[in-house]
Amino acid sequence: HSRSKSRNAAVSSSSRLTCETCIDVFAAAGGCEAMRARDNETMQELLKHPDLGGCQELHCDDQVQARCFQGPAGPAVVSCDICTDVFFAAGGCDAMRANDEHAVEELLKLPELGGCRELCFEQVGEQCLQGSPEEVAQCNASCALAFESAGGCVALNNNSYQEVMEIMNSAELSACNFDHCEDTIFGRCIPQQVAEGFCEDCVAKFDEAGGCKVMYEMFTESAGISPDSLASHIPDGCWPCGEDAVEHCTKEMLPPSGEPIDCDACIAALDNESGCTLMSQGNVSAVMPAQCSGMGESCAEKVALHCAQSSAHECSTARKGDGCFMHVRWGMETGIVVHPQWYPGLSRQSSFEDFQSLLHLRGQHNCPAPCQKLPRSFCHTAAAGEDCHRHVTWAMQVGIKTLPAMYPATLTEDSSFESFQAFLHHIHHGECLAPCEV
């Protein structure tokens, strides 16, 4: 205290009062600890300290923030616990759960969260998703196990959504709150699906059991075969690999795809017409160059990535084979159906990019920020010879009849070609762009 008095005497008797002097006193009196704890009451009391007289008039706010959250020598003094507490207190978790990317980005600019993005934003996101330690403990210790024991995992793997919901709402599990159990249930019930080669093994077993033969007979309509007959050939737990089975089995049923377009030529033509600039300005009527006509989903994603790079926006829409892709698709097709609370602000109609954006905000599954979707004017109704046309044809003639659980209730055997293509585009399957008319 005598040191504080002497310092105060020196600065008060001269005009040498500086921000550096004020910050030294503020930090020595516990100001930084109060600031990191968002203890406004303590900070207000500290500002009345006689040794800090005249400091407020110097407007040293930026320097105070830099000292308290980076330390006098530069290294960060924040911790993940502090980052999580401050982010939660500022409403960050609520914004993250609501998929409000703008609000999250604004919160991360707060001085109190300086350094948190680089230090442990992924852990902060995981904590927000999981909820309180009590909720996490309840889920991990009992509820997920009880769900599995009640047959929930079997139902999930067989796409029996109604049964899954009945199990979750059963009297035996009435004490469980599944709102924070998405990752736990996925990890417990579907770990094998993320294993390399899982779907290849499923498809091989399906073919060996005669599944492709039955699929061919149904496609040619040469026999009155019940859909149950095809379903009986699907190995246990292999329902999520239905698309891979279609790819494998339809190679000999449908005409081969034509030559793909030159995507580099498409991008060059787009650049010549300032297409990326028009799209970045929100021009939904930007015209697709003739060189891009007939492009598939892969080329569309390459175009979106190119436009993002030209605007210095880092993005990458997940593709099949990426670790993120399966989690996005599982959320779109299964998670949102069995427990919508896992995906606040989203619905079954939400786009692939919306789901990926939510997982990115939560710091889950290494999902990057997705690229902006191409404008609606970049539509293309698939033509014979294109990959998408083959997939739509199979879905209309075989898929909807044999595996109706793979399709939304809005699709029926009488739905139009464009309606089926729109669904395949929605889930990023079959190289399908959005059709021009639905």
Side-chain angles (χ1 to χ4, degrees):
H1 186 67
S2 60
R3 180 183 176 186
S4 297
K5 283 185 175 181
S6 61
R7 174 181 291 159
N8 182 56
V11 298
S12 61
S13 61
S14 70
S15 59
R16 291 181 294 172
L17 185 65
T18 65
C19 280
E20 183 178 358
T21 303
C22 291
I23 294 170
D24 284 344
V25 175
F26 182 75
C32 286
E33 287 82 354
M35 181 174 284
R36 290 194 288 265
R38 298 179 66 85
D39 186 347
N40 292 325
E41 183 177 349
T42 298
M43 285 194 290
Q44 289 300 319
E45 288 299 315
L46 283 173
L47 291 176
K48 299 176 184 178
H49 196 288
D51 288 352
L52 292 172
C55 287
Q56 286 184 280
E57 287 74 18
L58 293 177
H59 304 292
C60 305
D61 295 3
D62 290 344
Q63 295 95 315
V64 172
Q65 298 287 353
R67 168 71 72 84
C68 289
F69 288 94
Q70 294 182 356
V77 296
V78 293
S79 68
C80 280
D81 288 341
I82 292 173
C83 289
T84 301
D85 290 344
V86 173
F87 189 72
F88 183 87
C93 287
D94 292 337
M96 187 173 283
R97 290 167 183 161
N99 200 21
D100 191 341
E101 186 171 357
H102 176 72
V104 171
E105 288 298 322
E106 288 301 307
L107 285 171
L108 288 173
K109 296 176 184 178
L110 289 174
E112 297 91 333
L113 290 170
C116 289
R117 184 196 295 272
E118 296 78 12
L119 181 64
C120 55
F121 183 58
E122 183 172 340
Q123 294 95 308
V124 172
E126 290 174 352
Q127 185 63 49
C128 282
L129 170 67
Q130 293 170 349
S132 69
E134 292 77 11
E135 290 170 324
V136 175
Q138 182 187 30
C139 179
N140 289 341
S142 59
C143 292
L145 178 60
F147 176 80
E148 181 181 18
S149 300
C153 289
V154 174
L156 265 182
N157 282 307
N158 289 329
N159 280 18
S160 302
Y161 301 145
Q162 186 60 40
E163 185 180 353
V164 171
M165 289 185 278
E166 289 174 357
I167 291 172
M168 284 184 167
N169 295 319
S170 64
E172 293 79 6
L173 277 69
S174 60
C176 290
N177 176 8
F178 286 102
D179 289 357
H180 303 285
C181 289
E182 177 203 12
D183 264 5
T184 304
I185 286 178
F186 188 99
R188 180 175 288 276
C189 297
I190 320 178
Q192 73 277 15
Q193 288 183 25
V194 297
E196 186 176 352
F198 171 73
C199 278
E200 287 86 345
D201 291 341
C202 280
V203 170
K205 293 176 182 176
F206 176 76
D207 194 355
E208 291 170 3
C212 286
K213 179 181 178 182
V214 174
M215 196 179 284
Y216 178 77
E217 291 171 347
M218 299 186 80
F219 179 75
T220 58
E221 298 182 349
S222 60
I225 301 175
S226 166
D228 292 337
S229 176
L230 181 62
S232 67
H233 290 76
I234 300 174
D236 289 341
C238 285
W239 277 84
C241 299
E243 292 170 4
D244 297 81
V246 172
E247 290 273 4
H248 173 76
C249 297
T250 57
K251 288 178 181 177
E252 297 181 3
M253 300 183 206
L254 299 171
S257 301
E259 287 295 320
I261 70 161
D262 185 341
C263 197
D264 291 334
C266 165
I267 291 175
L270 191 71
D271 286 342
N272 288 337
E273 299 178 16
S274 301
C276 288
T277 301
L278 290 173
M279 287 188 285
S280 67
Q281 294 172 347
N283 189 330
V284 296
S285 60
V287 178
M288 179 166 65
Q291 292 88 335
C292 300
S293 179
M295 69 175 173
E297 184 71 24
S298 296
C299 182
E301 290 170 359
K302 188 174 180 180
V303 168
L305 180 60
H306 169 77
C307 288
Q309 290 173 337
S310 65
S311 63
H313 172 65
E314 293 186 8
C315 69
S316 178
T317 302
R319 293 183 52 78
K320 191 171 183 178
D322 298 341
C324 175
F325 183 87
M326 175 172 284
H327 290 279
V328 174
R329 286 286 300 276
W330 190 85
M332 295 179 71
E333 298 177 330
T334 302
I336 192 69
V337 178
V338 301
H339 204 66
Q341 294 89 333
W342 288 338
Y343 309 94
L346 301 182
S347 68
R348 290 199 75 179
Q349 286 69 49
S350 297
S351 69
F352 184 99
E353 289 80 5
D354 289 337
F355 276 86
Q356 181 177 335
S357 181
L358 178 61
L359 297 184
H360 168 67
L361 279 172
R362 289 172 167 175
Q364 289 181 283
H365 315 305
N366 294 317
C367 285
C371 294
Q372 181 180 358
K373 294 186 293 184
L374 296 182
R376 189 70 182 84
S377 56
F378 276 50
C379 64
H380 173 70
T381 301
E386 296 174 0
D387 274 344
C388 178
H389 191 276
R390 297 170 67 247
H391 286 278
V392 174
T393 300
W394 187 90
M396 295 179 68
Q397 296 184 9
V398 182
I400 192 69
K401 299 175 183 177
T402 59
L403 302 170
M406 291 178 61
Y407 301 88
T410 53
L411 285 180
T412 69
E413 294 181 28
D414 299 321
S415 295
S416 68
F417 182 98
E418 289 80 6
S419 295
F420 275 91
Q421 180 177 334
F423 169 67
L424 296 186
H425 167 69
H426 175 70
I427 63 172
H428 283 214
H429 177 65
E431 287 292 305
C432 289
L433 287 187
C436 292
E437 295 181 10
V438 179

